Amino acid sequence: MSKQQDKYAALSPFELKDALIQLASSKSGRLMLNAGRGNPNFLATLPRRAFWRLGLFATAEAELSYSYLPHDIGGLPRIEGIEARFDEFLSENHEQPGIAFLARAVSYVRDQLGLSASQFLHEMVEGILGANYPEPPRMQRISEQITREYIVKEMVGGQVSAQDVELFAVEGGTAAMTYLFNSLRNNGLVEVGDKVAIGSPIFTPYIEIPQLEDFQLDTVMVHASPKNRWQYPDSELEKLLDPAVKIFFCVNPSNPASVKIDKQGLAKLADIVRQRPDLIILTDDVYGTFANDFKSLFATCPQNTILVYSFSKYFGATGWRLGVIALHRNNILEQKLATLPASEKKRLNKRYQSLTPDVSALRFLDRVVADSRSVALNHTAGLSTPQQIQMVLFALFSLMDSDNGYKSSVTKIIRRRQAVLYRELGIVQPDNEESVDYYTLLDLEEISRSLYGSAFATWVKSTIDSTQFLFKIAEDTGIVMLPGSGFGTLKPAGRISLANLNEYEYATIGKALKKLLEEYFVIFTKKGKHKPSISSSKVNKRDRSKIDSY
């Protein structure tokens, strides 16, 4: 590896990717394929159409207040008669896309969820106009009721009642994690030097957050095993029995292995929680909606689990910044706050005294809301109301999709892409019933073994630096992958997103990676290590400069 490239070895994968993109784009006339991005290139269109149609109705509602003025001025919408006016709007626009969805949404909210249609419409109309602060700041009332039904359906599978779930609407999963770690620290629930166990592999920033100067937490890695379908061995999970471990932090299904915790793993974690009732579990379940019969740790350990969910990947909405923090009403965080030392309670009384005369009754999730605006600005906290309305429409889109047609479609998209990638790479596609296949990890050693045998795989492992390999792929093929090591994997691997390119592009990636390994195999055989086991017609005879000097 060159000195120029060596300086990137310690970077986060998301910083390294910029250097790889620059190298991959350096040759004119060649297509650069960025397979490192997790941003999907598919999105849900119907709830978006509904959003814009609802916006037109909301604007007309606002104009009713000042209809005597000719200067495009509107006022706050009125709840009186809103259902009748909405029915008239539906009738006048019945042929427009999105209108039928809105009609069904009102019916579903009224008839299936038992909520007031007038109150629902008024909140949606006022919210989409963005004319008021979010009220309550944590999440608008009806928006929370609908969204928690979605969370219970997709994440919990009915094992927890929606009535027992509290939500805080936030600007995506990353904002959720920022807010949570700050509030855990601010409230004395984690302190400098405490241990946090991290389920690996995991989204790289989640490895980095606990180590920041703000927190200075000691990390204990809990490694999933690639030999065991990326499940956590019991021996790894038993690290959580250490009473010094305050938090277990994981992504489920994992990033980048894209595998959900199986029933055995969930049962083991539930057993650990029975032995460690003080253990806090923090789980990011953004990829859970791509799985069939997904069960969050929130379902098996509800009192101990903080659930973070983002709408970004499943609905193709990364730019919307939509997410929630979910807590069970009866959670251990409240218990921990109640048993803090008197000196800590005194400090916290001073911190939150501007919000309530009884700080001891202030729930943890409401403290997270306040902390998100440095407490003093609590009244302006919360996700913008138009964002909450789009979130609600996404949630209703899923709740009303009784045959899971959308889920079936998006999962078929990514699995077709995976199939063509592995077909062109020339190896057998991994078979894992717990996998959601949003990403795939290409293990350089295992691919080399599958293509050319164990001797070549051993040579690759001992000769080729994983970061060097990513730079060579970028330079020679124009393909950008992210290093698996940056996500906590123990073996060199490249992370490829199956969500952001088209099928023919994944075929191109498979062919290019196979060709590059053929060239490595030529070098291997010319060094006298092994006789070629493939026909000369399949090998690129042009011997590049030695790998060691690259």
Side-chain angles (χ1 to χ4, degrees):
M1 185 189 304
S2 69
K3 291 182 179 179
Q4 180 71 7
Q5 292 161 11
D6 185 52
K7 72 179 183 180
Y8 294 115
L11 286 180
S12 160
F14 299 98
E15 305 304 325
L16 178 65
K17 80 172 183 344
D18 293 335
L20 293 171
I21 288 172
Q22 184 176 5
L23 189 61
S25 306
S26 60
K27 295 183 180 179
S28 61
R30 183 182 68 185
L31 181 65
M32 188 274 290
L33 296 177
N34 184 0
R37 294 193 71 194
N39 193 98
N41 65 354
F42 51 80
L43 53 88
T45 57
L46 183 55
R48 284 175 165 89
R49 288 186 183 275
F51 181 87
W52 301 118
R53 298 294 175 196
L54 181 62
L56 292 174
F57 173 69
T59 305
E61 285 290 289
E63 290 174 339
L64 287 177
S65 299
Y66 291 91
S67 58
Y68 62 90
L69 291 175
H71 299 298
D72 299 320
I73 296 176
L76 298 180
R78 301 190 305 267
I79 192 170
E80 297 83 5
I82 196 169
E83 282 188 73
R85 294 192 298 275
F86 187 67
D87 286 342
E88 184 179 354
F89 173 78
L90 295 178
S91 177
E92 291 174 350
N93 296 276
H94 68 277
E95 294 182 352
Q96 297 298 322
I99 289 294
F101 174 86
L102 288 174
R104 289 193 300 119
V106 174
S107 176
Y108 184 89
V109 167
R110 180 186 58 232
D111 301 333
Q112 301 302 316
L113 302 185
L115 301 174
S116 164
S118 292
Q119 290 177 6
F120 167 68
L121 282 169
H122 188 252
E123 185 172 300
M124 296 299 103
V125 165
E126 193 169 73
I128 206 168
L129 290 170
N132 270 324
Y133 292 113
E135 180 57 41
R138 184 159 60 79
M139 192 170 188
Q140 297 186 115
R141 289 182 176 84
I142 292 180
S143 298
E144 179 180 9
Q145 290 175 277
I146 294 170
T147 306
R148 72 188 185 190
E149 293 286 346
Y150 167 74
I151 293 296
V152 166
K153 176 198 172 190
E154 294 290 350
M155 304 283 103
V156 185
Q159 292 181 243
V160 175
S161 168
Q163 305 305 314
D164 290 329
V165 179
E166 297 177 311
L167 299 182
F168 174 23
V170 294
E171 309 92 321
T174 50
M177 293 305 174
T178 301
Y179 296 155
L180 284 168
F181 271 93
N182 281 333
S183 286
L184 288 167
R185 177 199 59 192
N186 289 335
N187 285 275
L189 300 181
V190 293
E191 298 176 343
V192 171
D194 281 348
K195 289 184 178 179
V196 55
I198 297 179
S200 169
I202 194 170
F203 183 50
T204 309
Y206 292 173
I207 299 175
E208 299 166 347
I209 288 174
Q211 301 170 357
L212 292 173
E213 184 181 359
D214 290 350
F215 308 110
Q216 300 178 54
L217 302 174
D218 290 339
T219 55
V220 176
M221 301 306 289
V222 176
H223 296 288
S225 171
K227 294 182 179 179
N228 186 31
R229 301 175 297 111
W230 289 107
Q231 297 300 318
Y232 298 111
D234 286 357
S235 58
E236 288 293 304
L237 290 177
E238 285 166 2
K239 294 176 181 178
L240 304 179
L241 293 172
D242 179 359
V245 173
K246 298 290 184 71
I247 301 173
F248 176 47
F249 187 15
C250 66
V251 174
N252 180 33
S254 55
N255 177 2
S258 276
V259 174
K260 66 180 181 180
I261 301 174
D262 63 13
K263 292 180 180 178
Q264 181 180 340
L266 292 173
K268 179 67 176 179
L269 282 160
D271 181 62
I272 287 171
V273 165
R274 282 189 285 270
Q275 300 176 65
R276 285 280 323 276
D278 62 322
L279 180 66
I280 299 170
I281 297 173
L282 176 54
T283 179
D284 179 346
D285 292 355
V286 61
Y287 304 105
T289 29
F290 289 94
N292 294 318
D293 300 319
F294 176 72
K295 291 292 185 296
S296 169
L297 283 164
F298 191 83
T300 53
C301 309
Q303 281 77 32
N304 294 70
T305 301
I306 306 171
L307 166 65
V308 169
Y309 176 74
S310 168
F311 289 71
S312 59
K313 303 299 195 296
Y314 189 58
F315 295 100
T318 54
W320 263 109
R321 314 309 300 136
L322 305 177
V324 291
I325 299 169
L327 269 179
H328 195 280
R329 292 187 187 279
N330 178 24
N331 62 77
I332 61 165
L333 297 163
E334 314 302 339
Q335 299 169 26
K336 287 176 177 287
L337 289 173
T339 57
L340 285 172
S343 58
E344 276 292 277
K345 289 182 179 179
K346 182 178 180 180
R347 179 182 67 82
L348 292 172
N349 283 340
K350 185 176 181 181
R351 177 176 180 82
Y352 298 113
Q353 65 184 356
S354 64
L355 305 182
T356 174
D358 185 9
V359 172
S360 64
L362 189 64
R363 298 180 63 78
F364 176 74
L365 200 52
D366 291 318
R367 297 180 189 219
V368 177
V369 177
D371 291 336
S372 74
R373 295 296 185 272
S374 299
V375 181
L377 296 169
N378 178 69
H379 67 289
T380 62
L383 186 67
S384 78
T385 57
Q387 287 174 284
Q388 291 192 44
I389 302 315
Q390 181 67 90
M391 184 188 297
V392 168
L393 293 173
F394 283 146
L396 285 168
F397 176 60
S398 176
L399 287 167
M400 295 189 299
D401 186 12
S402 57
D403 62 355
N404 286 323
Y406 179 77
K407 177 175 291 191
S408 175
S409 296
V410 296
T411 53
K412 282 179 182 177
I413 287 172
I414 56 179
R415 283 170 181 153
R416 283 170 58 110
R417 293 170 179 180
Q418 183 189 52
V420 74
L421 170 67
Y422 279 89
R423 184 191 71 208
E424 296 301 333
L425 192 51
I427 63 175
V428 176
Q429 182 177 338
D431 182 17
N432 188 344
E433 63 181 9
E434 309 298 344
S435 178
V436 299
D437 301 318
Y438 193 90
Y439 301 104
T440 190
L441 274 172
L442 297 182
D443 186 318
L444 182 60
E445 181 184 354
E446 290 304 316
I447 293 173
S448 300
R449 180 175 289 108
S450 295
L451 290 175
Y452 302 118
S454 296
F456 178 62
T458 300
W459 178 81
V460 165
K461 182 180 179 181
S462 62
T463 307
I464 300 174
D465 176 87
S466 58
T467 305
Q468 169 202 14
F469 186 65
L470 293 178
F471 274 98
K472 187 167 179 61
I473 289 172
E475 182 177 43
D476 288 7
T477 69
I479 296 166
V480 175
M481 298 192 299
L482 296 186
S485 58
F487 297 82
T489 60
L490 295 177
K491 295 178 66 179
R495 186 193 85 159
I496 284 184
S497 166
L498 296 168
N500 71 316
L501 299 173
N502 295 316
E503 277 188 45
Y504 77 92
E505 292 169 316
Y506 288 103
T508 300
I509 290 172
K511 292 174 184 176
L513 293 179
K514 184 178 181 182
K515 180 174 181 291
L516 186 55
L517 282 170
E518 287 177 353
E519 293 172 4
Y520 277 135
F521 188 68
V522 169
I523 296 172
F524 169 67
T525 55
K526 284 190 174 182
K527 287 186 174 182
K529 302 291 184 183
H530 195 270
K531 291 183 179 180
S533 58
I534 58 174
S535 66
S536 58
S537 63
K538 293 184 179 180
V539 178
N540 182 348
K541 292 290 187 179
R542 184 170 59 87
D543 188 1
R544 297 171 181 264
S545 60
K546 292 181 179 180
I547 295 172
D548 298 327
S549 62
Y550 176 73

